[in-house]
Amino acid sequence: MNNLGISLVTIIIIAANVIISIKGFDDRGFFEKFKFNVGSIKRGEQIRMLSSGFLHADISHLFFNMFTLYFFADFVVAKLGSIHFLIIYFGSLIFGNLLSLYFHKNEYWYSAIGASGAVTGILYAAILLEPSMSLYMYFIPIPIPGYVFGIGYLLYSIYGMKNKVGNIGHDAHFGGAIGGYVITLILYPSLFQTNLGYIGLLSIPIIILFVLYKTGKLK
């Protein structure tokens, strides 16, 4: 998508994920201590809200998240700068875990790991900044406009949350996307002048989620 090269901040984030994830692969006690777990967080271990985003289940999980981050991070860095990139990254990570905590607040055994919420937030920031960007998926031979992908991804996440599809934290992905959406608009309010229509379209899945939850149809 871009030829900007990889920035120092992206290298640091990817390196942190790799180092901490590998530590978790080799040290089960470390993994259990810092993963997202509802019961532990409710007992006061809030560090898990952050640390869980740097742990992964295996090499393929880590690679997929870091590969996706690699493609979109530097576009956001180039547009908003390193500091705002970090705000979006960590804000999306926390927002994703907050949504997971909210939806699973009574499931004290519920656990999760991975940078997916943060990565999804960066992806959505990139889509907001350039809604017409072309995205390619390996099973679809034609480019997909970024805003179409964004809407479709969130709708699929709602479906996944409702039907508990796979061993995937769909709520964390959705929360991360909302975090990226909201924080990017706060940091870059001129988007309301240039991309207002796309902003409205990308808000549709968020509204649908809210309505489904309020009407009890998400459970």
Side-chain angles (χ1 to χ4, degrees):
M1 182 185 64
N2 67 73
N3 297 311
L4 300 172
I6 187 166
S7 65
L8 178 60
V9 69
T10 303
I11 293 172
I12 291 171
I13 289 292
I14 291 176
N17 272 277
V18 170
I19 292 168
I20 296 172
S21 291
I22 290 174
K23 170 67 175 175
F25 297 157
D26 295 334
D27 186 340
R28 195 66 192 180
F30 178 86
F31 184 90
E32 293 295 327
K33 182 177 180 180
F34 292 109
K35 72 180 183 181
F36 178 95
N37 175 262
V38 172
S40 298
I41 292 169
K42 285 199 164 187
R43 287 193 295 270
E45 298 177 26
Q46 279 81 19
I47 186 63
R48 293 172 182 261
M49 297 286 287
L50 180 64
S51 60
S52 60
F54 289 87
L55 294 169
H56 290 82
D58 50 40
I59 289 292
S60 62
H61 185 205
L62 172 64
F63 175 79
F64 180 78
N65 275 338
M66 295 303 99
F67 188 68
T68 304
L69 180 64
Y70 167 78
F71 272 106
F72 294 98
D74 286 316
F75 179 80
V76 177
V77 172
K79 289 285 188 177
L80 300 180
S82 296
I83 298 300
H84 285 173
F85 166 82
L86 290 172
I87 291 172
I88 295 170
Y89 185 90
F90 285 103
S92 298
L93 170 59
I94 296 298
F95 209 100
N97 280 337
L98 282 173
L99 194 65
S100 289
L101 185 62
Y102 183 71
F103 281 137
H104 300 282
K105 56 182 175 292
N106 296 320
E107 303 170 30
Y108 281 66
W109 62 90
Y110 182 85
S111 298
I113 39 89
S116 299
V119 173
T120 305
I122 294 299
L123 169 62
Y124 271 79
I127 291 173
L128 270 177
L129 292 166
E130 191 65 50
S132 61
M133 71 169 60
S134 295
L135 302 179
Y136 291 86
M137 303 186 74
Y138 67 92
F139 53 86
I140 300 177
I142 59 174
I144 304 171
Y147 73 94
V148 173
F149 175 83
I151 293 169
Y153 184 87
L154 285 192
L155 291 176
Y156 173 73
S157 293
I158 292 174
Y159 172 80
M161 291 162 66
K162 185 175 175 62
N163 296 280
K164 296 179 170 59
V165 176
N167 188 28
I168 300 171
H170 295 285
D171 38 21
H173 294 184
F174 200 104
I178 295 175
Y181 178 88
V182 172
I183 297 169
T184 301
L185 290 176
I186 291 172
L187 295 176
Y188 202 11
S190 62
L191 289 172
F192 284 105
Q193 296 177 333
T194 59
N195 295 339
L196 184 58
Y198 291 116
I199 291 170
L201 286 172
L202 288 166
S203 72
I204 291 173
I206 300 172
I207 295 170
I208 291 174
L209 178 71
F210 178 79
V211 171
L212 288 175
Y213 184 78
K214 284 297 184 181
T215 57
K217 295 180 180 178
L218 193 61
K219 301 177 180 180

